[in-house]
Every structure is written in C-alpha cells, then in structure tokens.
Amino acid sequence: MAEEKTNDQECVNFTGKWELRTSEKLDEYLKEEGWGFIMRKAAAAVSATQIILQDGDKTLKVNVKNKKGIFEYTAPLDGSEIKYVDNDKDDVISKSVFSDDKQAIIESVIKGKESKQYKTTRYMENGEMRLKIENAKGKYCIRIFKKISNK
C-alpha cells in the first residue's frame, strides 16, 4: 500500500544566513546561457550570500547579496504570482510551491525582456542548502550554500 501524504507533513526550513560554498555545472550552464569565457570565469569566482526567513509553509523571504548588489523578495508558498526586480535589473515573475514531500521549494520564473523561463529547486543535502537553477532547455547548475548563522 502506498504511503499516504498529508498536509501535516513537516516541511523543510531554510531560515538562516547562507554563504555560497561552490557550484556544480556552472560553466556549462552559463555557456548555454550565452556567457563568454571571461564572464563565466568571473561568475565562478564571485561570492553570494542569502539571508532567508521562512514562515513555515506560508512564505519564504529571501535577501540575496552578491557583487551586483542586494535584492529581496517574499514568496508565498501557495503558487501565488509575485513580481520583483533582481540584481540584473530584470523584471521577474515568480511562483513558488513545495514539492509533494515538502522537502524542496520549487520556483517557476519568467525573467527579463525576453521572458526567459527558469525553474529553481531549493533543497537540503548533507546539511547544506542546494539551489538547482534550470533553464528551458534543461541545462542546469547547482549552487551549494553553507549555513553561517541561524538568523
């Protein structure tokens, strides 16, 4: 008999301050996105910090800081659409939901004037937060963050 899923299942909590430790498949991903060699190498060397405040299964407030500056958004986790402007000064339309097992947050993104579509999946593995960023062609990278504080 299949295990029945309930809405009471405990959800993953990403609250804390997270610092980028490393990335997987970043060069291949950025190449697919049309980035040149020098820009790809520079991107690989740039640090990033995310400060996240999660309100259970209701909202995820994300503050992103990198070389380009700081941006912040609050995503309802019920699939409601939000709009914000990111560090590239692109308009972003976003919808976020939990995975069926509530162990990941999946965000559907439409970004910029060209309305490029992306899917991000935020999940935990080995005590670290992973952010898988996938483009419409299925090419992806995984950004791996270590927790540096609980606030």
Side-chain angles (χ1 to χ4, degrees), residues 12 14 18 21 24 103 122-131 142-146:
V12 63
F14 296 104
W18 301 88
R21 182 177 67 76
E24 295 175 356
Q103 298 307 297
R122 187 182 302 269
Y123 60 98
M124 297 293 292
E125 186 173 299
N126 299 324
E128 296 180 308
M129 179 178 71
R130 293 182 176 237
L131 184 63
I142 299 174
R143 309 282 272 168
I144 301 169
F145 292 82
K146 65 180 177 183

Side-chain angles (χ1 to χ4, degrees), residues 41-57:
K41 295 306 171 196
V46 172
S47 67
T49 303
Q50 293 192 1
I51 300 172
I52 299 174
L53 181 58
Q54 183 175 335
D55 182 10
D57 62 358

Side-chain angles (χ1 to χ4, degrees), residues 34-148:
W35 290 41
F37 178 79
I38 292 172
M39 291 301 290
R40 293 195 317 267
K41 295 306 171 196
V46 172
S47 67
T49 303
Q50 293 192 1
I51 300 172
I52 299 174
L53 181 58
Q54 183 175 335
D55 182 10
D57 62 358
K58 294 173 183 59
T59 61
L60 188 74
K61 182 177 181 180
V62 182
N63 175 292
V64 177
K65 180 181 178 183
N66 61 26
K67 186 178 179 182
K68 294 179 183 179
I70 298 172
F71 77 96
E72 187 172 280
Y73 64 96
T74 300
L77 300 174
D78 63 1
S80 299
E81 183 177 285
I82 62 165
K83 296 178 181 180
Y84 59 89
V85 176
D86 68 10
N87 277 350
D88 296 322
K89 308 301 182 231
D90 283 334
D91 291 324
V92 176
I93 300 170
S94 166
K95 295 179 183 180
S96 298
V97 295
F98 273 103
S99 60
D100 288 342
D101 66 1
K102 292 191 174 187
Q103 298 307 297
I105 295 175
I106 302 163
E107 181 183 12
S108 300
V109 176
I110 301 172
K111 177 178 163 57
K113 293 176 186 169
E114 298 175 8
S115 295
K116 288 188 172 184
Q117 295 186 24
Y118 299 92
K119 179 174 93 172
T120 68
T121 305
R122 187 182 302 269
Y123 60 98
M124 297 293 292
E125 186 173 299
N126 299 324
E128 296 180 308
M129 179 178 71
R130 293 182 176 237
L131 184 63
K132 180 180 179 183
I133 306 166
E134 185 175 352
N135 67 19
K137 296 179 181 177
K139 203 55 129 172
Y140 69 91
C141 69
I142 299 174
R143 309 282 272 168
I144 301 169
F145 292 82
K146 65 180 177 183
K147 194 173 211 178
I148 56 175

